[in-house]
């Protein structure tokens, strides 16, 4: 074999290696966004499941008809979104969300609004007040998560779900604070809807009077 043939072969191999490296680099960028998608779906499904648990308790124990009705709407809307997100995960990753670990989108459990204890809600003396305070904090967490997905994720269908979550849960926070002001004389210490980039207050149980 001549040196010219060998040199040509080496050049061809080098070109293939460079192409593989470039493709791998592009894949890394894509995988970062897709990892956000994966983490968001897993955490938001978990988040919605907790909201449904809370709302189902409110359907039974809610002291006001308005709270019981809102609870039913939360169960219906978030059950549907869980189905959508699981379907998206199957499309994107050819499998379910179970079976591997997921990140937290850079948020603590408190920032995700998932630090509350179901026993506190179930045993609350003023159930509607406890439910409103807990659900507002929970909704604020969903809004934080949805904004991270919109900023760092890659999937357009997930972005649409995030827009729906932000709009619906912002409106529900406003509504719950109106009821709390009317029924208990003050809005929730959890605060109101989060503006873009706002961290929001995350009061302790002592601040809430629980």
């Amino acid at each position: 074999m001549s040196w010219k043939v060998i040199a040509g072969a080496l050049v061809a191999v080098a070109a293939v290696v460079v192409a593989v490296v470039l493709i791998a680099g592009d894949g890394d960028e894509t995988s970062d966004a897709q990892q956000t998608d994966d983490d968001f779906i897993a955490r938001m499904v978990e988040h919605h499941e907790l909201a449904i648990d809370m709302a189902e308790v409110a359907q039974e124990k809610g002291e006001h008809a308005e709270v019981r009705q809102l609870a039913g709407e939360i169960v219906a809307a978030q059950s549907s979104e869980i189905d959508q997100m699981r379907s998206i995960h199957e499309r994107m990753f050819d499998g379910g969300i179970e079976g591997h670990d997921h990140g937290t989108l850079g948020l603590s459990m408190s920032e995700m609004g998932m630090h509350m204890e179901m026993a506190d809600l179930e045993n609350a003396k003023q159930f509607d007040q406890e439910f409103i305070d807990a659900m507002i904090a929970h909704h604020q967490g969903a809004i934080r998560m949805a904004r991270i997905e919109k900023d760092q994720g890659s999937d357009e269908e997930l972005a649409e779900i995030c827009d729906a979550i932000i709009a619906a849960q912002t409106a529900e926070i406003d509504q719950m604070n109106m009821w709390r002001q009317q029924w208990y004389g003050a809005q929730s210490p959890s605060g109101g809807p989060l503006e873009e980039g706002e961290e929001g207050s995350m009061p302790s149980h002592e601040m809430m009077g629980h």
Side-chain angles (χ1 to χ4, degrees):
M1 181 180 292
S2 70
W3 284 109
K4 288 184 178 180
V5 172
I6 294 173
L10 290 174
V11 169
V13 169
V16 170
V17 170
V18 170
V20 169
V21 170
L22 290 174
I23 292 171
D26 290 342
D28 288 342
E29 293 180 7
T30 301
S31 67
D32 287 343
Q34 287 185 336
Q35 186 62 57
T36 297
D37 296 333
D38 186 20
D39 294 342
F40 171 78
I41 292 171
R43 293 302 178 180
M44 190 59 82
V45 165
E46 179 183 359
H47 196 272
H48 275 16
E49 287 172 344
L50 178 56
I52 290 169
D53 289 343
M54 296 164 65
E56 287 177 343
V57 175
Q59 286 179 300
E60 296 182 6
K61 294 192 172 185
E63 299 155 343
H64 294 83
E66 294 93 332
V67 167
R68 296 192 297 273
Q69 179 178 345
L70 174 62
E73 293 169 355
I74 288 172
V75 170
Q78 299 201 18
S79 295
S80 176
E81 287 173 352
I82 287 174
D83 290 342
Q84 284 181 274
M85 288 186 286
R86 287 188 179 277
S87 177
I88 292 170
H89 197 280
E90 290 282 350
R91 166 173 60 77
M92 292 187 69
F93 303 105
D94 295 322
I97 61 177
E98 293 80 11
H100 63 283
D101 294 333
H102 296 92
T104 62
L105 302 172
L107 298 173
S108 67
M109 294 298 285
S110 180
E111 288 168 331
M112 288 189 288
M114 297 181 67
H115 58 295
M116 57 86 61
E117 297 290 340
M118 284 296 296
D120 292 337
L121 181 63
E122 292 167 347
N123 299 321
K125 294 180 179 178
Q126 288 185 307
F127 179 87
D128 287 359
Q129 181 177 343
E130 177 80 24
F131 175 78
I132 287 170
D133 290 346
M135 190 58 80
I136 286 177
H138 194 72
H139 276 11
Q140 288 171 335
I143 292 171
R144 288 188 185 94
M145 295 163 69
R147 286 181 175 153
I148 290 171
E149 168 61 25
K150 279 176 62 67
D151 182 54
Q152 300 179 20
S154 67
D155 189 75
E156 292 183 4
E157 191 175 356
L158 281 179
E160 292 175 1
I161 291 176
C162 289
D163 287 337
I165 288 171
I166 292 169
Q169 299 199 19
T170 294
E172 288 172 359
I173 289 171
D174 280 335
Q175 182 63 75
M176 286 187 284
N177 263 324
M178 288 178 60
W179 290 336
R180 199 184 189 286
Q181 180 72 50
Q182 178 182 348
W183 299 336
Y184 305 107
Q187 293 192 1
S188 174
S190 296
L194 301 181
E195 299 297 331
E196 192 73 37
E198 182 183 357
E199 289 301 321
S201 60
M202 289 171 284
S204 65
H205 284 293
E206 289 75 17
M207 288 175 63
M208 291 185 182
H210 303 155

